[in-house]
C-alpha cells in the first residue's frame, strides 16, 4: 500500500477563479465566438452556464462537439458579430 506522501508539491495558496465581466452576460442559446489562442477560434452556441458563470458549455460549430470551458482556461468567449 502506498504512503500518503507529497513529492515535489508546491505550496501555493489557491486563488478564487473569477470570470471576465462579459461572461456574466452570457445566456443559454447565445451565439458566441470562442478564441482559444490568437489565430484559433470557433463559433458556437452557449448550451449551459454554471450559476457563478465560471464554467460554460459550448456546442461548437462544424461538428466539433460540445466543450466545457472554465474562466481559468485562458480562452475568450465573445458575443458573435452579426
Amino acid at each position: 500500500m502506498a504512503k500518503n506522501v507529497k513529492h515535489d508539491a508546491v505550496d501555493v495558496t489557491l486563488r478564487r477563479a473569477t470570470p471576465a465581466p462579459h461572461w456574466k452576460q452570457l445566456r443559454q442559446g447565445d451565439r458566441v465566438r470562442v478564441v482559444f489562442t490568437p489565430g484559433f477560434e470557433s463559433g458556437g452556441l452557449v448550451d449551459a452556464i454554471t450559476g457563478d458563470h465560471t464554467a460554460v458549455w459550448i456546442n461548437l460549430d462544424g461538428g466539433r462537439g460540445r466543450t466545457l470551458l472554465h474562466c481559468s482556461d485562458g480562452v475568450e468567449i465573445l458575443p458573435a458579430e452579426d
Side-chain angles (χ1 to χ4, degrees), residues 5-78:
V5 178
K6 292 196 271 183
H7 294 285
D8 300 322
V10 178
D11 293 323
V12 177
T13 304
L14 295 177
R15 59 185 166 86
R16 187 170 181 81
T18 306
H22 60 275
W23 280 39
K24 294 182 181 186
Q25 306 304 317
L26 295 173
R27 300 288 178 256
Q28 187 175 11
D30 284 355
R31 175 146 291 283
V32 294
R33 278 186 319 124
V34 180
V35 181
F36 298 100
T37 60
F40 294 95
E41 66 179 65
S42 179
L45 288 174
V46 174
D47 185 45
I49 307 164
T50 58
D52 61 359
H53 289 85
T54 58
V56 181
W57 280 100
I58 306 280
N59 283 319
L60 298 173
D61 292 344
R64 292 186 182 99
R66 184 174 183 244
T67 188
L68 176 63
L69 302 171
H70 189 266
C71 64
S72 65
D73 289 341
V75 299
E76 285 287 332
I77 303 175
L78 305 167

